[in-house]
Amino acid sequence: MSSSPLFSAPTATGKRRLVVHLGFPKTATTTIQAMLAANADRLGPGVAVSPKDELTLKLRKNALRYMRSGGKFWFKWRHGVAMREMVRKIDAMDFETLLISDENMVGIESGKIFDPPGGVDCAAWVKRLDAALSGYEVTYVLYTRDPAPWRVSAYNQAFKMRRVTEPFADWAVKHDDLGGPARIVEELRGFLGERLKTLDMADEIGPGKLMGRYLLELAGVSEERIAGIVVPPRKNESLPPAAIEFLKCARANPRLRGARYRDLVRLCARHPDLFSKEFHA
């Protein structure tokens, strides 16, 4: 968790400001978090950032464990404890605006957002988070994208993390709700109202554009400082289709398990050019 030169100044409501970036997963969240971490000291006085760091670590771990366990109360209780701990840490910080980015802190997971209705229920978690942050003026942000390629990217991520072993066609039958993300947005907007902001990530892709600019603008970062942002190398990009097929074959080898398989996945991720048509021409 990092911040620029610090001071505490309330807004017109008498509360300090939080901009909470909740994802969605696979909408350049890793790229945005890397940008925030690399530029924490360039955003201006009073602007602090927490790009998926220790401030939200316990929240995301227990939220994801709750979702993956089928709803064990123990993880929900621990998430509540972690949330109160996070708020105490925020209370002790000096800032005018704190920008928090963590796409998993309320249990949203890339492989689940296209589940049929009833499969993903993050609204209750966001309500609990909003109640815990009631002492602040909070704006929530969700980035979105075109659903069809988004679902493919979600599958690739789940496959890369060994949470999925079946072919995409079989997986897609069970994750066939391309309207899932839009439904989640509307559900959250039902109680957050205009405090929930959304942006299509395509609006920040292209020459001269900066992924995460919208978040910086909401945090009150000046145009001059945004122009001086350093863009770090991209991470966690989706694997090429040929790499996915290669890993499917590799997984048939019983000797490629655990650390060996993870090392192979990292190698494929670092060198996607190995699977390009140009490389084999």
Side-chain angles (χ1 to χ4, degrees):
M1 184 170 50
S2 306
S3 67
S4 55
L6 303 173
F7 66 94
S8 301
T11 64
T13 63
K15 300 178 179 180
R16 294 186 291 168
R17 297 181 63 236
L18 301 180
V19 176
V20 181
H21 175 216
L22 294 174
F24 280 105
K26 304 312 295 178
T27 59
T29 50
T30 302
T31 297
I32 290 172
Q33 289 152 5
M35 179 274 291
L36 293 174
N39 294 277
D41 297 326
R42 298 183 175 91
L43 304 182
V47 180
V49 297
S50 172
K52 201 173 185 179
D53 57 15
E54 72 276 5
L55 182 67
T56 56
L57 173 62
K58 292 182 180 179
L59 261 71
R60 65 177 172 271
K61 288 179 69 173
N62 287 294
L64 291 175
R65 286 171 177 170
Y66 175 83
M67 297 295 186
R68 294 169 185 170
S69 70
K72 288 187 177 179
F73 177 78
W74 172 245
F75 295 122
K76 183 177 181 180
W77 179 82
R78 292 184 68 177
H79 186 271
V81 172
M83 191 151 46
R84 292 190 290 273
E85 179 182 323
M86 179 190 74
V87 173
R88 287 195 295 270
K89 289 180 179 179
I90 294 174
D91 289 345
M93 294 173 62
D94 289 313
F95 61 85
E96 178 182 359
T97 299
L98 172 61
L99 202 170
I100 301 172
S101 177
D102 190 333
E103 71 275 25
N104 302 128
M105 64 189 294
V106 293
I108 301 175
E109 195 170 7
S110 61
K112 302 292 185 180
I113 56 178
F114 297 102
D115 283 4
V120 176
D121 180 20
C122 61
W125 295 78
V126 177
K127 286 180 180 178
R128 294 173 67 210
L129 176 66
D130 195 45
L133 298 175
S134 61
Y136 296 87
E137 184 178 298
V138 188
T139 299
Y140 297 90
V141 184
L142 283 169
Y143 277 59
T144 63
R145 60 186 288 191
D146 180 35
W150 188 356
R151 184 172 60 161
V152 174
S153 183
Y155 167 81
N156 287 347
Q157 178 73 5
F159 185 91
K160 185 168 66 173
M161 301 302 292
R162 288 187 64 84
R163 298 193 188 103
V164 171
T165 58
E166 59 195 332
F168 172 75
D170 296 337
W171 177 88
V173 171
K174 294 178 287 188
H175 302 79
D176 62 347
D177 186 9
L178 293 180
R183 188 181 63 253
I184 293 172
V185 168
E186 290 310 306
E187 188 175 6
L188 298 185
R189 200 182 298 284
F191 59 89
L192 294 177
E194 291 303 311
R195 294 190 297 127
L196 176 63
K197 311 294 183 183
T198 62
L199 183 76
D200 190 322
M201 64 176 283
D203 293 344
E204 293 186 343
I205 295 176
K209 295 186 177 182
L210 174 68
M211 188 61 67
R213 180 187 182 93
Y214 186 53
L215 292 172
L216 299 178
E217 291 175 344
L218 288 173
V221 179
S222 69
E223 287 293 325
E224 180 182 3
R225 290 186 179 275
I226 291 177
I229 291 293
V230 174
V231 180
R234 292 188 63 181
K235 299 179 180 179
N236 197 31
E237 294 191 64
S238 294
L239 293 173
I244 293 291
E245 293 304 315
F246 170 73
L247 290 173
K248 286 179 182 177
C249 295
R251 266 211 310 230
N253 185 339
R255 300 181 64 182
L256 282 173
R257 293 289 183 270
R260 288 182 177 179
Y261 179 79
R262 290 193 294 273
D263 287 343
L264 185 61
V265 170
R266 294 189 190 102
L267 181 65
C268 293
R270 289 188 192 124
H271 302 283
D273 52 297
L274 295 177
F275 302 93
S276 68
K277 293 181 180 179
E278 291 77 9
F279 182 82
H280 296 282

